[in-house]
């Protein structure tokens, strides 16, 4: 199973703006609730003999919580868990620089899909006593996590490019060490040379040349 840790064109970069503090806090508590209900669901599934049926669902919960830990990697409550993940099973993701707000939209999509599949395929287990309570808690946490992740994304998007940078392509031209654009053909007025006055222009086929046969 491949975890979608990046979403080109919808990926956020940099720290969240100050306006996103409250929804980020709610997202944090939703992920903590998902981890707690997921652990309780695992224990009750083992006790009830439902581990075989619930293995993929529990694995999806673990992946969702792991992605939440990558988003909240700088939070004191997730720092140790993130460090454990980034040095073991998700080391490749950490080495590629995945984490922080760049994982917000993939987490939102993954969590929302998990919620829909749990409702469609596991709603019949909601009446199984304590296990049904744990399952309902997982579903509610998944829904809350996806909602608050969307709230954070909207706040970051509405804050403009000054607060967050959207991932994907950009139209800027990088400058060389001398301060000139690296693609001077796009800027005819820029001097491509090093330190001259910039008054001379390069002309194709300039000079007298020699006539063939003459």
């Amino acid at each position: 199973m491949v975890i979608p840790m990046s979403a080109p064109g919808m990926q956020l970069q940099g720290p969240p703006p100050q306006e996103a503090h409250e929804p980020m806090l709610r997202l944090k508590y939703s992920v903590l609730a998902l981890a707690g209900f997921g652990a309780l669901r695992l224990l009750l599934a083992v006790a009830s003999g439902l581990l075989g049926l619930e293995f993929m669902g529990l694995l999806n919960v673990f992946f969702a919580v792991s992605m939440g830990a990558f988003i909240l990697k700088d939070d004191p409550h997730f720092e140790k868990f993130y460090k454990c993940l980034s040095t073991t099973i998700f080391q490749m993701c950490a080495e590629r620089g995945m984490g922080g707000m760049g994982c917000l939209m993939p987490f939102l999509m993954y969590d929302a899909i998990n919620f829909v599949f749990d409702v469609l395929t596991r709603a019949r287990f909601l009446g199984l006593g304590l296990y049904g309570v744990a399952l309902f808690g997982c579903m509610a946490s998944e829904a809350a996590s996806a909602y608050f992740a969307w709230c954070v994304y909207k706040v970051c998007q509405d804050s403009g490019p000054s607060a967050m940078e959207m991932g994907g392509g950009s139209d800027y031209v990088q400058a060389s060490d001398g301060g000139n654009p690296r693609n001077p053909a796009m800027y005819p007025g820029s001097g491509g040379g090093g330190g001259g006055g910039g008054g001379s222009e390069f002309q194709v086929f300039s000079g007298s040349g020699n006539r063939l046969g003459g």
Side-chain angles (χ1 to χ4, degrees):
M1 179 179 293
V2 178
I3 303 177
M5 296 293 280
S6 62
M10 303 181 72
Q11 190 173 358
L12 300 174
Q13 300 174 357
Q18 185 64 30
E19 295 81 359
H21 174 73
E22 185 175 350
M24 279 291 292
L25 191 62
R26 293 178 179 177
L27 174 62
K28 167 188 169 179
Y29 290 136
S30 299
V31 176
L32 287 173
L34 180 60
F37 281 114
L40 179 62
R41 179 177 168 185
L42 172 62
L43 293 176
L44 293 175
V46 173
S48 304
L50 297 173
L51 185 60
L53 295 174
E54 287 289 87
F55 178 76
M56 289 304 300
L58 292 168
L59 189 62
N60 287 333
V61 171
F62 172 74
F63 283 153
V65 173
S66 299
M67 294 173 70
F70 268 73
I71 297 173
L72 300 162
K73 62 180 183 178
D74 297 323
D75 188 273
H77 294 91
F78 285 91
E79 186 176 2
K80 292 183 179 179
F81 184 46
Y82 167 76
K83 186 176 182 180
C84 177
L85 294 173
S86 62
T87 55
T88 53
I89 56 177
F90 294 136
Q91 183 176 0
M92 184 179 298
C93 297
E95 290 176 350
R96 293 177 60 185
M98 298 178 181
M101 300 302 291
C103 295
L104 183 66
M105 183 54 66
F107 169 80
L108 192 161
M109 294 186 293
Y110 191 81
D111 207 49
I113 291 173
N114 283 347
F115 170 71
V116 172
F117 271 90
D118 279 347
V119 170
L120 293 178
T121 62
R122 291 175 172 82
R124 64 183 185 275
F125 297 143
L126 290 175
L128 296 181
L130 290 177
Y131 182 79
V133 174
L135 178 60
F136 178 80
C138 278
M139 291 181 178
S141 301
E142 287 169 348
S145 298
Y147 173 73
F148 291 128
W150 173 252
C151 291
V152 173
Y153 180 80
K154 287 297 294 179
V155 170
C156 296
Q157 194 176 45
D158 295 340
S159 297
S162 59
M164 295 290 296
E165 294 181 358
M166 299 296 294
S170 60
D171 296 330
Y172 74 95
V173 178
Q174 288 184 324
S176 61
D177 295 337
N180 295 321
R182 293 185 179 179
N183 189 4
M186 297 177 61
Y187 298 86
S190 63
S200 61
E201 296 183 358
F202 175 76
Q203 296 180 2
V204 182
F205 302 120
S206 63
S208 58
N210 294 320
R211 186 186 298 275
L212 294 177

